[in-house]
Amino acid sequence: MTAGDTFGRLDDDDYPAYTMGRAAEMLGSTQGFLRAIGEARLITPLRSAGGHRRYSRYQLRIAARARELVDRGTPIEAACRIVILEDQIEEAQRINAEYRRAAESANPTAAA
């Protein structure tokens, strides 16, 4: 791997760039919180060659949303379920919008 390959991955939201300690620090949480949301299957961190958990920016955004809910008093299991459902709704809305655009471009007179 060259330096160019590594720098290119820094823009990748799914690249597991952050250690557990750094991820917890960025979230203002504990490593235990990250373990708990992993056990609740909200996120599944990748593992380094040495077996250490590594987190991506995408996973940290999801963890931050769960942390926000937990800070408001939502139990961690419920917070994880809420975040999963929010993500599913967002994905369904994105797919619906794509279908709508495809239908409109296939039949432009129906949209008018």
Side-chain angles (χ1 to χ4, degrees):
M1 178 182 315
T2 66
D5 294 338
T6 302
F7 291 132
R9 290 184 180 169
L10 294 177
D11 290 335
D12 183 354
D13 265 0
D14 295 318
Y15 182 69
Y18 304 99
T19 63
M20 178 180 268
R22 180 68 179 128
E25 180 183 314
M26 290 170 70
L27 293 172
S29 71
T30 64
Q31 293 181 15
F33 173 77
L34 289 170
R35 283 188 204 94
I37 64 174
E39 289 170 11
R41 296 187 179 156
L42 177 61
I43 58 175
T44 303
L46 294 174
R47 298 283 181 151
S48 69
H52 300 282
R53 291 174 179 90
R54 303 287 295 207
Y55 297 88
S56 68
R57 287 189 307 209
Y58 174 74
Q59 289 173 322
L60 293 182
R61 281 196 302 274
I62 290 173
R65 176 66 179 131
R67 167 83 197 278
E68 191 178 296
L69 292 167
V70 169
D71 287 350
R72 292 184 191 165
T74 306
I76 197 160
E77 296 82 13
C80 290
R81 185 67 182 137
I82 289 167
V83 173
I84 289 167
L85 291 170
E86 287 174 341
D87 194 50
Q88 289 173 342
I89 289 169
E90 185 179 312
E91 178 67 8
Q93 289 173 334
R94 185 191 62 75
I95 290 169
N96 285 341
E98 285 178 14
Y99 284 145
R100 229 177 276 116
R101 282 191 298 276
E104 288 171 359
S105 66
N107 191 2
T109 57

Coordinates of all heavy atoms in Angstrom, one line a residue, residues 28-98:
G28 N -17.2 11.6 23.1 CA -17.4 12.0 24.5 C -18.0 11.0 25.3 O -18.8 11.2 26.2
S29 N -17.7 9.7 25.0 CA -18.3 8.6 25.7 C -17.2 7.7 26.2 O -16.0 8.1 26.2 CB -19.2 7.8 24.7 OG -18.4 7.1 23.8
T30 N -17.6 6.5 26.7 CA -16.6 5.6 27.2 C -16.5 4.4 26.2 O -17.3 4.3 25.3 CB -17.1 5.0 28.5 OG1 -18.3 4.2 28.3 CG2 -17.3 6.0 29.6
Q31 N -15.4 3.7 26.4 CA -15.2 2.5 25.5 C -16.3 1.5 25.8 O -16.8 0.8 24.9 CB -13.9 1.9 25.7 CG -12.8 2.8 25.2 CD -11.4 2.3 25.4 OE1 -11.2 1.1 25.7 NE2 -10.4 3.1 25.3
G32 N -16.8 1.5 27.0 CA -17.9 0.6 27.4 C -19.2 0.9 26.6 O -19.9 0.0 26.3
F33 N -19.4 2.2 26.4 CA -20.6 2.5 25.5 C -20.4 1.9 24.1 O -21.4 1.4 23.6 CB -20.7 4.1 25.5 CG -21.8 4.5 24.5 CD1 -23.1 4.5 24.9 CD2 -21.5 5.0 23.2 CE1 -24.1 4.9 24.0 CE2 -22.5 5.4 22.4 CZ -23.8 5.3 22.7
L34 N -19.3 2.1 23.6 CA -19.0 1.5 22.2 C -19.2 0.0 22.2 O -19.8 -0.6 21.3 CB -17.7 1.9 21.7 CG -17.5 3.3 21.3 CD1 -16.0 3.7 21.1 CD2 -18.4 3.7 20.1
R35 N -18.7 -0.7 23.3 CA -18.9 -2.1 23.4 C -20.4 -2.5 23.5 O -20.9 -3.4 22.9 CB -18.2 -2.7 24.6 CG -16.7 -2.8 24.4 CD -16.1 -3.6 25.6 NE -14.7 -3.2 25.7 CZ -14.2 -2.2 26.5 NH1 -15.0 -1.5 27.3 NH2 -12.9 -2.0 26.5
A36 N -21.2 -1.7 24.3 CA -22.6 -1.9 24.5 C -23.4 -1.8 23.2 O -24.2 -2.6 22.9 CB -23.1 -1.0 25.6
I37 N -23.1 -0.8 22.4 CA -23.8 -0.6 21.1 C -23.4 -1.7 20.1 O -24.2 -2.0 19.3 CB -23.8 0.8 20.6 CG1 -22.4 1.2 20.2 CG2 -24.4 1.8 21.5 CD1 -22.3 2.6 19.5
G38 N -22.2 -2.2 20.3 CA -21.7 -3.3 19.5 C -22.5 -4.6 19.9 O -22.9 -5.3 19.0
E39 N -22.7 -4.8 21.2 CA -23.4 -6.0 21.6 C -24.9 -5.9 21.2 O -25.5 -6.9 21.0 CB -23.3 -6.1 23.2 CG -21.9 -6.5 23.6 CD -21.7 -6.4 25.1 OE1 -22.7 -6.2 25.8 OE2 -20.5 -6.5 25.5
A40 N -25.4 -4.6 21.2 CA -26.8 -4.4 20.7 C -26.9 -4.5 19.2 O -28.0 -4.4 18.7 CB -27.3 -3.1 21.2
R41 N -25.8 -4.7 18.5 CA -25.7 -4.9 17.1 C -26.1 -3.6 16.3 O -26.6 -3.7 15.2 CB -26.5 -6.1 16.6 CG -26.0 -7.4 17.2 CD -26.7 -8.5 16.6 NE -26.1 -9.7 17.2 CZ -26.7 -10.9 17.2 NH1 -27.9 -11.0 16.7 NH2 -26.1 -11.9 17.8
L42 N -25.9 -2.5 16.9 CA -26.1 -1.2 16.2 C -25.0 -1.0 15.2 O -25.2 -0.7 14.0 CB -26.2 0.0 17.2 CG -26.4 1.3 16.5 CD1 -27.7 1.4 15.7 CD2 -26.3 2.4 17.5
I43 N -23.8 -1.3 15.6 CA -22.6 -1.2 14.8 C -21.7 -2.4 15.0 O -21.7 -2.9 16.1 CB -21.8 0.1 14.9 CG1 -21.3 0.2 16.4 CG2 -22.6 1.3 14.5 CD1 -20.4 1.4 16.6
T44 N -21.0 -2.8 14.0 CA -20.1 -3.9 14.1 C -18.7 -3.4 13.7 O -18.5 -3.2 12.5 CB -20.5 -5.1 13.3 OG1 -21.8 -5.5 13.6 CG2 -19.5 -6.3 13.5
P45 N -17.9 -3.1 14.6 CA -16.6 -2.5 14.2 C -15.7 -3.6 13.5 O -15.9 -4.8 13.8 CB -15.9 -2.1 15.6 CG -16.6 -2.9 16.6 CD -18.0 -3.2 16.1
L46 N -14.9 -3.1 12.6 CA -14.0 -4.1 12.0 C -12.8 -4.3 13.0 O -12.7 -3.6 14.0 CB -13.4 -3.5 10.7 CG -14.5 -3.3 9.6 CD1 -13.9 -2.6 8.4 CD2 -15.0 -4.7 9.2
R47 N -12.1 -5.3 12.8 CA -10.9 -5.6 13.6 C -9.6 -5.5 12.9 O -9.5 -5.8 11.7 CB -11.0 -7.1 14.1 CG -12.3 -7.4 15.0 CD -12.1 -6.9 16.3 NE -13.3 -7.2 17.2 CZ -13.3 -7.3 18.5 NH1 -12.1 -7.2 19.1 NH2 -14.4 -7.6 19.1
S48 N -8.7 -4.9 13.6 CA -7.3 -4.8 13.0 C -6.7 -6.2 13.0 O -7.2 -7.1 13.6 CB -6.5 -3.8 13.9 OG -6.2 -4.4 15.1
A49 N -5.5 -6.3 12.4 CA -4.8 -7.5 12.4 C -4.5 -8.1 13.8 O -4.5 -9.2 14.0 CB -3.5 -7.4 11.6
G50 N -4.3 -7.1 14.7 CA -4.1 -7.5 16.1 C -5.4 -7.8 16.9 O -5.3 -8.0 18.1
G51 N -6.5 -7.6 16.3 CA -7.8 -7.9 16.9 C -8.5 -6.7 17.6 O -9.5 -6.9 18.3
H52 N -7.9 -5.5 17.4 CA -8.5 -4.3 18.0 C -9.6 -3.8 17.2 O -9.6 -3.8 16.0 CB -7.4 -3.2 18.2 CG -6.2 -3.7 19.0 ND1 -6.3 -3.7 20.4 CD2 -5.0 -4.1 18.7 CE1 -5.2 -4.2 20.9 NE2 -4.3 -4.4 19.9
R53 N -10.6 -3.3 17.9 CA -11.8 -2.7 17.2 C -11.4 -1.4 16.5 O -10.7 -0.6 17.0 CB -12.9 -2.4 18.2 CG -13.5 -3.6 18.8 CD -14.5 -3.1 19.9 NE -15.2 -4.2 20.5 CZ -14.8 -4.9 21.6 NH1 -13.7 -4.6 22.2 NH2 -15.5 -5.9 22.0
R54 N -11.9 -1.2 15.3 CA -11.7 0.0 14.5 C -13.0 0.5 13.9 O -13.8 -0.3 13.5 CB -10.7 -0.3 13.3 CG -9.4 -0.9 13.7 CD -8.5 0.1 14.3 NE -8.2 1.1 13.3 CZ -7.1 1.8 13.3 NH1 -6.2 1.6 14.3 NH2 -6.9 2.7 12.4
Y55 N -13.2 1.8 14.0 CA -14.5 2.4 13.7 C -14.3 3.3 12.5 O -13.4 4.0 12.3 CB -15.1 3.1 14.8 CG -15.3 2.2 16.0 CD1 -14.4 2.0 17.0 CD2 -16.6 1.6 16.2 CE1 -14.6 1.1 18.0 CE2 -16.8 0.8 17.2 CZ -15.8 0.6 18.2 OH -16.1 -0.3 19.2
S56 N -15.4 3.4 11.7 CA -15.4 4.3 10.5 C -16.2 5.6 10.9 O -16.9 5.6 12.0 CB -16.1 3.6 9.3 OG -17.5 3.5 9.6
R57 N -16.1 6.6 10.1 CA -16.8 7.8 10.3 C -18.3 7.6 10.3 O -19.1 8.1 11.1 CB -16.4 8.9 9.3 CG -15.1 9.5 9.6 CD -14.8 10.7 8.7 NE -15.0 10.4 7.3 CZ -14.4 10.9 6.3 NH1 -13.5 11.9 6.5 NH2 -14.7 10.6 5.1
Y58 N -18.8 6.7 9.4 CA -20.2 6.4 9.3 C -20.6 5.7 10.6 O -21.7 6.1 11.2 CB -20.4 5.4 8.2 CG -21.8 4.9 8.1 CD1 -22.9 5.8 7.7 CD2 -22.1 3.6 8.5 CE1 -24.2 5.3 7.7 CE2 -23.4 3.1 8.4 CZ -24.5 4.0 8.0 OH -25.7 3.5 8.0
Q59 N -19.9 4.8 11.2 CA -20.2 4.2 12.4 C -20.2 5.2 13.6 O -21.1 5.1 14.5 CB -19.2 3.0 12.7 CG -19.4 1.8 11.8 CD -18.4 0.8 12.0 OE1 -17.2 1.1 12.2 NE2 -18.7 -0.5 11.9
L60 N -19.3 6.1 13.5 CA -19.3 7.1 14.6 C -20.5 8.0 14.6 O -21.0 8.5 15.6 CB -18.0 7.9 14.5 CG -16.7 7.2 14.8 CD1 -15.5 8.1 14.8 CD2 -16.8 6.5 16.2
R61 N -21.0 8.3 13.4 CA -22.2 9.1 13.3 C -23.4 8.4 13.9 O -24.2 9.0 14.6 CB -22.5 9.5 11.8 CG -21.6 10.7 11.3 CD -22.2 11.3 10.0 NE -22.3 10.3 8.9 CZ -21.3 10.0 8.1 NH1 -20.1 10.6 8.2 NH2 -21.5 9.2 7.1
I62 N -23.5 7.1 13.6 CA -24.5 6.3 14.1 C -24.4 6.2 15.7 O -25.4 6.4 16.4 CB -24.5 4.9 13.5 CG1 -25.0 5.0 12.1 CG2 -25.4 3.9 14.3 CD1 -24.8 3.7 11.3
A63 N -23.2 6.0 16.1 CA -22.9 5.9 17.6 C -23.3 7.3 18.2 O -23.8 7.3 19.4 CB -21.5 5.6 17.8
A64 N -23.0 8.4 17.6 CA -23.3 9.7 18.1 C -24.8 9.9 18.3 O -25.3 10.5 19.3 CB -22.7 10.8 17.3
R65 N -25.6 9.4 17.3 CA -27.0 9.5 17.4 C -27.5 8.7 18.6 O -28.4 9.1 19.4 CB -27.7 9.1 16.1 CG -29.2 9.0 16.1 CD -29.8 10.4 16.3 NE -31.2 10.3 16.3 CZ -32.0 10.9 17.2 NH1 -31.5 11.6 18.2 NH2 -33.3 10.7 17.1
A66 N -27.0 7.5 18.8 CA -27.4 6.6 19.9 C -27.0 7.3 21.2 O -27.8 7.3 22.2 CB -26.7 5.3 19.8
R67 N -25.8 7.9 21.2 CA -25.4 8.6 22.5 C -26.3 9.7 22.8 O -26.7 10.0 24.0 CB -24.0 9.1 22.2 CG -23.4 10.1 23.2 CD -22.9 9.3 24.5 NE -22.8 10.3 25.6 CZ -21.7 11.1 25.8 NH1 -20.7 11.1 25.0 NH2 -21.7 11.9 26.9
E68 N -26.8 10.4 21.8 CA -27.7 11.6 22.0 C -29.0 11.1 22.7 O -29.5 11.7 23.6 CB -28.0 12.1 20.6 CG -28.7 13.4 20.5 CD -28.9 13.9 19.1 OE1 -27.9 14.1 18.4 OE2 -30.1 13.9 18.6
L69 N -29.5 9.9 22.2 CA -30.7 9.4 22.8 C -30.5 8.9 24.2 O -31.3 9.1 25.1 CB -31.3 8.2 21.9 CG -31.8 8.7 20.5 CD1 -32.0 7.5 19.6 CD2 -33.1 9.4 20.7
V70 N -29.4 8.2 24.4 CA -29.1 7.7 25.7 C -28.9 8.9 26.7 O -29.4 8.8 27.9 CB -27.8 6.8 25.7 CG1 -27.3 6.5 27.1 CG2 -28.1 5.5 24.9
D71 N -28.3 9.9 26.3 CA -28.1 11.1 27.1 C -29.4 11.7 27.5 O -29.5 12.4 28.5 CB -27.2 12.2 26.4 CG -25.8 11.8 26.4 OD1 -25.4 10.8 27.1 OD2 -25.0 12.5 25.7
R72 N -30.5 11.5 26.7 CA -31.8 12.0 27.0 C -32.6 11.1 27.9 O -33.8 11.3 28.1 CB -32.6 12.3 25.7 CG -32.0 13.4 24.9 CD -32.9 13.6 23.7 NE -32.3 14.5 22.8 CZ -32.7 14.7 21.5 NH1 -33.8 14.0 21.1 NH2 -32.1 15.5 20.7
G73 N -32.0 9.9 28.2 CA -32.7 9.0 29.1 C -33.2 7.8 28.5 O -33.9 6.9 29.2
T74 N -33.0 7.6 27.2 CA -33.5 6.4 26.5 C -32.6 5.2 26.9 O -31.4 5.4 26.8 CB -33.5 6.6 25.0 OG1 -34.2 7.8 24.7 CG2 -34.1 5.4 24.3
P75 N -33.2 4.1 27.2 CA -32.3 2.9 27.5 C -31.5 2.6 26.2 O -32.0 2.7 25.1 CB -33.3 1.8 27.8 CG -34.5 2.5 28.3 CD -34.6 3.8 27.5
I76 N -30.3 2.0 26.4 CA -29.4 1.8 25.3 C -30.0 0.9 24.2 O -29.8 1.1 23.1 CB -28.0 1.4 25.8 CG1 -27.0 1.5 24.7 CG2 -28.0 -0.1 26.3 CD1 -25.5 1.6 25.1
E77 N -30.7 -0.2 24.7 CA -31.3 -1.1 23.7 C -32.3 -0.4 22.9 O -32.4 -0.6 21.7 CB -31.9 -2.3 24.4 CG -30.9 -3.2 25.2 CD -30.5 -2.6 26.5 OE1 -31.2 -1.7 27.1 OE2 -29.5 -3.1 27.1
A78 N -33.1 0.4 23.5 CA -34.2 1.2 22.8 C -33.5 2.2 21.9 O -34.0 2.4 20.7 CB -35.1 1.8 23.8
A79 N -32.5 2.9 22.3 CA -31.8 3.9 21.5 C -31.2 3.2 20.2 O -31.4 3.7 19.1 CB -30.7 4.5 22.3
C80 N -30.7 2.0 20.4 CA -30.1 1.3 19.2 C -31.2 0.9 18.3 O -31.1 1.1 17.1 CB -29.3 0.1 19.7 SG -27.8 0.5 20.5
R81 N -32.3 0.5 18.8 CA -33.5 0.1 17.9 C -34.0 1.3 17.2 O -34.3 1.3 16.0 CB -34.6 -0.5 18.7 CG -35.7 -1.1 17.9 CD -35.2 -2.2 17.0 NE -36.3 -2.7 16.2 CZ -36.2 -3.0 14.9 NH1 -35.1 -3.0 14.3 NH2 -37.3 -3.4 14.2
I82 N -34.1 2.5 17.9 CA -34.6 3.7 17.2 C -33.7 4.1 16.1 O -34.1 4.5 15.0 CB -34.7 4.8 18.3 CG1 -35.9 4.6 19.2 CG2 -34.8 6.2 17.6 CD1 -35.9 5.4 20.5
V83 N -32.4 4.1 16.3 CA -31.4 4.5 15.3 C -31.5 3.5 14.1 O -31.4 4.0 13.0 CB -30.0 4.5 15.9 CG1 -28.9 4.7 14.8 CG2 -29.9 5.6 17.0
I84 N -31.6 2.2 14.4 CA -31.8 1.3 13.3 C -33.0 1.6 12.4 O -33.0 1.6 11.2 CB -31.8 -0.2 13.8 CG1 -30.4 -0.6 14.3 CG2 -32.3 -1.2 12.7 CD1 -30.4 -1.9 15.2
L85 N -34.1 1.9 13.1 CA -35.4 2.2 12.4 C -35.3 3.5 11.6 O -35.8 3.6 10.5 CB -36.6 2.2 13.4 CG -37.0 0.8 14.0 CD1 -38.0 1.0 15.1 CD2 -37.5 -0.1 12.9
E86 N -34.6 4.5 12.2 CA -34.4 5.7 11.5 C -33.6 5.5 10.2 O -33.9 6.1 9.2 CB -33.7 6.8 12.4 CG -34.5 7.3 13.5 CD -33.7 8.2 14.5 OE1 -32.5 8.1 14.5 OE2 -34.4 9.0 15.2
D87 N -32.6 4.7 10.3 CA -31.7 4.4 9.2 C -32.5 3.7 8.1 O -32.4 3.9 6.9 CB -30.5 3.6 9.6 CG -29.4 3.5 8.6 OD1 -29.1 4.6 8.1 OD2 -29.0 2.4 8.3
Q88 N -33.4 2.7 8.5 CA -34.2 2.0 7.6 C -35.2 2.9 6.9 O -35.4 2.8 5.6 CB -35.0 0.8 8.2 CG -34.0 -0.3 8.7 CD -34.7 -1.3 9.5 OE1 -35.8 -1.1 10.1 NE2 -34.1 -2.5 9.6
I89 N -35.8 3.8 7.6 CA -36.8 4.8 7.0 C -36.0 5.7 6.0 O -36.5 5.9 4.9 CB -37.4 5.6 8.1 CG1 -38.4 4.8 8.9 CG2 -38.1 6.9 7.5 CD1 -38.9 5.4 10.2
E90 N -34.9 6.2 6.4 CA -34.1 7.0 5.5 C -33.8 6.3 4.2 O -33.9 6.8 3.1 CB -32.8 7.5 6.2 CG -32.0 8.5 5.4 CD -30.8 8.9 6.1 OE1 -30.9 9.3 7.3 OE2 -29.7 8.9 5.5
E91 N -33.4 5.0 4.3 CA -33.0 4.2 3.1 C -34.3 4.0 2.3 O -34.2 4.1 1.0 CB -32.4 2.9 3.5 CG -32.1 2.0 2.4 CD -31.0 2.5 1.5 OE1 -30.3 3.5 1.8 OE2 -30.8 1.8 0.4
A92 N -35.4 3.7 2.9 CA -36.7 3.5 2.1 C -37.1 4.8 1.4 O -37.5 4.7 0.2 CB -37.8 3.0 3.1
Q93 N -36.9 5.9 2.1 CA -37.3 7.2 1.4 C -36.3 7.5 0.2 O -36.8 8.0 -0.8 CB -37.2 8.3 2.4 CG -38.3 8.3 3.4 CD -38.2 9.3 4.6 OE1 -37.1 9.7 4.9 NE2 -39.3 9.7 5.2
R94 N -35.1 7.1 0.4 CA -34.1 7.3 -0.7 C -34.5 6.5 -1.9 O -34.5 6.9 -3.1 CB -32.7 7.0 -0.3 CG -31.6 7.3 -1.3 CD -30.3 6.7 -1.0 NE -30.3 5.2 -0.8 CZ -30.3 4.4 -1.9 NH1 -30.4 4.8 -3.1 NH2 -30.3 3.1 -1.7
I95 N -34.9 5.2 -1.7 CA -35.3 4.3 -2.7 C -36.6 4.8 -3.4 O -36.7 4.8 -4.6 CB -35.4 2.8 -2.2 CG1 -34.0 2.3 -1.8 CG2 -36.1 1.9 -3.2 CD1 -34.1 1.0 -1.0
N96 N -37.5 5.2 -2.6 CA -38.8 5.7 -3.1 C -38.5 6.9 -4.0 O -39.1 7.0 -5.1 CB -39.8 6.1 -2.0 CG -40.4 4.9 -1.4 OD1 -40.4 3.8 -2.0 ND2 -40.9 5.1 -0.2
A97 N -37.6 7.8 -3.6 CA -37.3 9.0 -4.4 C -36.7 8.6 -5.8 O -37.0 9.1 -6.8 CB -36.4 9.9 -3.7
E98 N -35.8 7.6 -5.7 CA -35.2 7.1 -7.0 C -36.3 6.5 -7.9 O -36.2 6.7 -9.1 CB -34.2 6.0 -6.7 CG -32.9 6.5 -6.1 CD -31.9 5.4 -5.8 OE1 -32.1 4.2 -6.2 OE2 -30.9 5.7 -5.1

